[in-house]
Amino acid sequence: MIALEFTTFIGRFHPLLVHLPIGFLVLAILLEWYETYKKAEPKSKLIHYAWFLGALSAAGAALSGWHLGETGLYEEKDLFAHRWLGIALVAVAFIGWWIKRRPEGRSKLLQNGLNVLLLVMLFVEGHKGGNMTHGDTYLTEYAPASLQKILGTANEADSLPNFGTPDSVRIYQELMLPVFETKCYTCHNNEVQRGGLNMATVDAFREGGDNGPILAEGNPGESELFRRITLPQRNVKFMPPTGDVLTYDEIKIVEWWIEQGGSFEDPIGNVEVTETIKPVLLRRYGLDTNPRPWYETVQLPPLDSIQIHSLEGEGFVVKSLGAENPLLDIKYSGNTLNQEQLKALDEVKEYVTWLSLARTNVQNEWLSIVAKFPNLTRIQLEKTTISDAGIQHLAGLEHLEALNLYGTEVTDACIPYLQNMKGLKRVYLWNTQVSVETAKGLEEQKEGLEVVIGESF
């Protein structure tokens, strides 16, 4: 166990060290080509110094990378080529340094050939390492559709599972079970139970095998399941012993599942989605677990066009948030507003998510109408006579994220109402009677809130 931990410790330095040889060696080659272009003779000593530093750092990267490969997180077929190409690159780098020390009498063909060879090796080695860590589509997933088609990756997204809301996806049933069925059930099912382990039922899975449970909830390092799938593949205890081994993404999903307690019932919404697992969930399952604005989560049928025309007749400019989102962005187009016009919005209150009453004569008590809009996430009240009494009406809006009070008559007395707004992320208090000190205190006390007041704190 101590040896494995030390190996892992050394291996974790690989991402840090791997960029050093790239920088040194590319710098050396570019400097040499520049001096050749300028016909500088003799060549600068910086060239062979950079080659030496590049070779030395490449050796360090190769050593740490070899140990990182011993952790079992990578497929052997990909690891083999990456490892030995890295060793070859170290050798070429030291040969290059030896030649560049005394370039006199060396043919230009040899020196330039060495430069080109090393650049190609750096590119191929870096590409292989990136694919092992981030997946084969990392470079192309955001490429233009035409380029993806040429590279043969255009339809990969179509094969992703079609999940609904990420928070409701059950981790074991929908993410883990397909992996186990594909990679583990051949040897651990109701009929075949090697090592006394049956993974085909939840109860049997929990019970474990001949040596007891294979899950240590919250601790992947102490879990026999995780240890077996991350052993070096030449180890006789590596699992699965034949067939397709678990990919990097699959191993990271298993690790995260165990870290979060190894539950067989919990959905994603019940556990912590760490920053390291977010790209894996997105890449492998198409699950974007980054927090979404409230208005993106609301599901409503499209609003009748007659109702929209009716609102436009009351002087409002009405826009939907998109073809697939029926929520409305509403702005009053004039300056003189009356309470009856504002009451017209009550007919579509579930649909109003962005509302602008800026530069109108809106009154404090009228905001009691707005307080009934359950999906309101942004309201603009700048350059109005709204005061603390008006903000009191808005304090119960759970999903209000942005509130613009620029140029209004609010004072420090509105701060408790702002603190009660659970979803508030940004409030504009510039050119109001709220003091800078009070605004700073609000921002410090309410986590995740940005207060814009027009002066530096």
Side-chain angles (χ1 to χ4, degrees), residues 415-416 419 437-449:
I415 299 302
Q419 288 177 326
E437 292 76 17
T438 303
K440 179 181 179 181
L442 173 64
E443 190 170 62
E444 291 175 348
Q445 294 172 21
K446 191 171 177 62
E447 184 178 357
L449 176 64

Side-chain angles (χ1 to χ4, degrees), residues 18-45:
V18 75
H19 297 94
L20 292 175
I22 297 173
F24 283 128
L25 293 170
V26 170
L27 173 65
I29 292 170
L30 292 179
L31 183 59
E32 179 184 342
W33 284 346
Y34 175 76
E35 291 199 355
T36 299
Y37 172 75
K38 290 293 186 179
K39 298 181 179 179
E41 293 293 344
K43 294 289 193 301
S44 171
K45 292 183 178 180

Side-chain angles (χ1 to χ4, degrees), residues 295 298 300 319-321 325-329 350-351 353 375:
Y295 61 80
V298 177
L300 289 172
K319 300 177 182 177
S320 69
L321 296 194
N325 191 330
L327 294 184
L328 301 177
D329 172 9
E350 292 88 358
Y351 290 83
T353 191
N375 296 317

Side-chain angles (χ1 to χ4, degrees), residues 214-283:
I214 61 172
L215 292 179
E217 295 179 2
N219 193 338
E222 297 296 325
S223 297
E224 187 66 12
L225 169 64
F226 186 73
R227 189 180 78 85
R228 290 295 189 98
I229 64 175
T230 55
L231 285 170
Q233 291 183 35
R234 59 180 176 273
N235 192 302
V236 294
K237 293 187 177 182
F238 172 78
M239 295 295 169
T242 59
D244 291 336
V245 301
L246 274 71
T247 65
Y248 174 83
D249 283 352
E250 290 169 341
I251 291 173
K252 297 304 289 183
I253 288 289
V254 173
E255 180 182 32
W256 170 66
W257 174 58
I258 297 173
E259 283 177 347
Q260 299 308 312
S263 170
F264 290 84
E265 296 85 21
D266 278 341
I268 289 178
N270 286 9
V271 302
E272 179 188 1
V273 181
T274 60
E275 290 301 317
T276 55
I277 204 63
K278 284 181 179 179
V280 178
L281 291 173
L282 182 60
R283 180 168 62 240

Side-chain angles (χ1 to χ4, degrees), residues 280-344:
V280 178
L281 291 173
L282 182 60
R283 180 168 62 240
R284 179 171 173 80
Y285 303 103
L287 288 171
D288 186 354
T289 54
N290 287 310
R292 293 190 296 166
W294 175 256
Y295 61 80
E296 290 187 6
T297 68
V298 177
Q299 301 293 321
L300 289 172
L303 195 62
D304 193 307
S305 60
I306 295 177
Q307 292 177 290
I308 294 177
H309 290 317
S310 176
L311 294 177
E312 292 173 340
E314 294 289 347
F316 293 102
V317 177
V318 183
K319 300 177 182 177
S320 69
L321 296 194
E324 298 181 359
N325 191 330
L327 294 184
L328 301 177
D329 172 9
I330 298 180
K331 176 182 179 181
Y332 187 68
S333 59
N335 302 112
T336 305
L337 177 70
N338 62 58
Q339 191 172 5
E340 293 304 314
Q341 288 173 300
L342 195 56
K343 283 183 178 180

Side-chain angles (χ1 to χ4, degrees), residues 315-316 330-335 337-338 341-342 345 354-363 366-367 369-370 373 376 378-386 394 404 408:
F316 293 102
I330 298 180
K331 176 182 179 181
Y332 187 68
S333 59
N335 302 112
L337 177 70
N338 62 58
Q341 288 173 300
L342 195 56
L345 296 179
W354 296 348
L355 177 63
S356 175
L357 301 175
R359 297 176 175 82
T360 68
N361 61 322
V362 61
Q363 304 298 306
W366 298 359
L367 293 183
I369 301 170
V370 177
F373 298 173
L376 189 66
R378 184 175 76 187
I379 182 169
Q380 295 175 245
L381 297 170
E382 64 265 29
K383 292 297 186 74
T384 65
T385 60
I386 292 299
L394 304 179
N404 193 335
T408 61

